[in-house]
Amino acid sequence: MKRFNDRPMEKISVKMTKTKNPVYFIDEKEVKELVKKSNPTKKIGDINIPELEKKLNQLPAVDSANVYLNLNGSLNLEIKQRVPAFRLNKDNRDFYVDEKGTEFPTSQNYSFPCMLVMGDVKKSEYVKLAELIQKINHDEFSKRYFIGISKSKDNYDLLTNEGYFNVEIGDLENIDLKVKGFKAFVEKYLIYQQPEKYTKVSVKYDNQIVTTLNPKYKDNDSIIAVGKKELEKLPLIKKKKEEAEKRILNEQKQQPKVIVETKPKTSQPKKEIEKKSPKKVIQKPESKPKGKVKIE
């Protein structure tokens, strides 16, 4: 390769590795500019390939970079870009997270279409959250319903395109079962109801679905009113229960105590069992055998 050392670096080939979802955070022009800056003399012999690879890998949107020279002296660069799993809005910051759980900034020139997540999501939860979103994207039902995710304290909610209610899933465990439960609720019940009737549908509990009614929905007024009346009765019921318990205690205190004396049992002398003498067996005298009489 020494014969190429003094040759000018004229041919630079940049190849962007294809991904399942095409991304365009960096382009060929940007990569070539970086190569030129790293080699001011523009001579092939002055290219520091390990250093150039390091600089390319330090680009936030680059997942991996491979740099090598051909025998003809041309410089080749293979770049693989990061693919966002979701976009996170956290602590007044807005950034992407890939499937490996790596954060990288958004771009002013390009915006990747992905699910928006809001709230105090821990870094240790990034990978599981990416797996959840991947499941949503690969399921037609979930993809049609869920458009975002929010986290409050330790509780996750799936935001729906209906806009009237959220689906509470709690933690990120047993996601398949929780989504399956919500799907059953939609197909067997919600399709016959108005979606604005609810503010929340919770599937965080095992084998049950809990709904929260929307107080602003007119048809819910009578149901909510009955519920409030029942709640208002609770203090009165509690008070009556306490009064009844006090009354029972007072009655027990006023009743005279009855002392029952028990006499000790006198032990009776044991009767002696008379021993019976065994009966004597009287043997009968053996009878002499009679002589046989022969009659002729």
Side-chain angles (χ1 to χ4, degrees):
M1 296 295 291
K2 290 183 179 180
R3 60 194 177 100
F4 296 108
N5 285 347
D6 295 329
R7 287 181 58 179
M9 187 176 58
E10 295 177 355
K11 190 174 181 180
I12 302 172
S13 176
V14 179
K15 181 183 177 182
M16 295 293 183
T17 305
K18 290 183 179 180
T19 54
K20 289 182 180 179
N21 299 309
V23 285
Y24 308 99
F25 290 109
I26 57 174
D27 55 19
E28 186 176 333
K29 183 181 178 181
E30 188 177 351
V31 174
K32 286 183 177 180
E33 285 294 326
L34 182 62
V35 173
K36 289 177 181 178
K37 286 180 181 179
S38 64
N39 185 17
T41 63
K42 297 182 181 180
K43 291 182 179 180
I44 292 176
D46 294 335
I47 298 173
N48 188 336
I49 291 178
E51 185 65 26
L52 181 57
E53 275 189 354
K54 185 179 178 181
K55 286 183 178 180
L56 288 168
N57 281 305
Q58 285 175 346
L59 293 175
V62 172
D63 185 41
S64 63
N66 185 27
V67 182
Y68 60 94
L69 279 169
N70 280 347
L71 292 175
N72 59 5
S74 62
L75 185 67
N76 296 272
L77 302 97
E78 293 180 355
I79 309 293
K80 183 181 179 183
Q81 299 184 66
R82 297 189 188 280
V83 180
F86 57 90
R87 186 168 178 164
L88 180 58
N89 188 288
K90 173 184 174 182
D91 299 331
N92 296 321
R93 292 172 56 222
D94 196 28
F95 53 91
Y96 292 115
V97 178
D98 69 3
E99 61 181 5
K100 297 176 184 177
T102 305
E103 299 177 358
F104 62 103
T106 56
S107 172
Q108 294 181 351
N109 303 321
Y110 173 70
S111 178
F112 182 79
C114 60
M115 189 168 287
L116 177 64
V117 180
M118 298 173 288
D120 186 21
V121 181
K122 298 175 183 177
K123 287 186 177 182
S124 58
E125 297 175 315
Y126 284 173
V127 174
K128 273 198 171 184
L129 194 56
E131 290 173 358
L132 165 61
I133 293 168
Q134 188 178 19
K135 288 178 181 179
I136 291 173
N137 291 336
H138 284 80
D139 180 66
E140 287 300 321
F141 172 85
S142 300
K143 193 175 181 180
R144 187 173 71 251
Y145 257 95
F146 306 131
I147 58 171
I149 300 174
S150 68
K151 185 187 179 186
S152 178
K153 295 181 180 178
D154 293 327
N155 203 60
Y156 280 95
D157 285 353
L158 300 179
L159 310 180
T160 62
N161 58 4
E162 298 287 351
Y164 300 108
F165 62 88
N166 296 338
V167 179
E168 183 184 41
I169 61 172
D171 56 27
L172 298 174
E173 302 296 331
N174 301 320
I175 291 299
D176 291 336
L177 188 63
K178 292 173 182 177
V179 173
K180 188 178 179 181
F182 175 71
K183 186 177 181 181
F185 173 74
V186 171
E187 293 176 344
K188 295 181 180 180
Y189 188 77
L190 192 61
I191 56 173
Y192 305 108
Q193 304 288 323
Q194 294 297 326
E196 58 266 32
K197 184 177 180 179
Y198 305 101
T199 57
K200 183 169 69 176
V201 177
S202 178
V203 292
K204 67 183 287 187
Y205 306 103
D206 292 339
N207 300 321
Q208 60 179 316
I209 296 172
V210 181
T211 59
T212 303
L213 294 175
N214 182 4
K216 295 180 181 179
Y217 186 63
K218 290 183 179 180
D219 291 354
N220 290 338
D221 290 345
S222 57
I223 300 172
I224 294 171
V226 171
K228 285 183 178 179
K229 286 181 180 179
E230 293 299 321
L231 289 172
E232 287 171 358
K233 290 179 183 178
L234 290 177
L236 183 62
I237 293 169
K238 185 180 179 182
K239 186 178 179 182
K240 287 183 177 180
K241 185 180 178 182
E242 290 175 352
E243 289 175 353
E245 288 175 351
K246 286 180 180 178
R247 187 171 62 252
I248 292 168
L249 287 171
N250 290 331
E251 288 175 357
Q252 289 176 350
K253 288 178 181 179
Q254 291 174 3
Q255 288 178 356
K257 292 183 179 179
V258 179
I259 301 171
V260 180
E261 293 183 356
T262 56
K263 293 182 179 181
K265 292 182 180 180
T266 55
S267 58
Q268 295 180 355
K270 294 181 180 179
K271 293 181 179 180
E272 292 184 359
I273 300 170
E274 295 180 357
K275 293 182 180 180
K276 293 182 180 180
S277 56
K279 292 181 179 180
K280 291 182 179 181
V281 180
I282 302 170
Q283 294 182 352
K284 292 181 179 181
E286 294 180 0
S287 57
K288 293 181 180 181
K290 294 180 180 181
K292 292 182 180 180
V293 180
K294 186 177 180 182
I295 301 173
E296 293 182 352

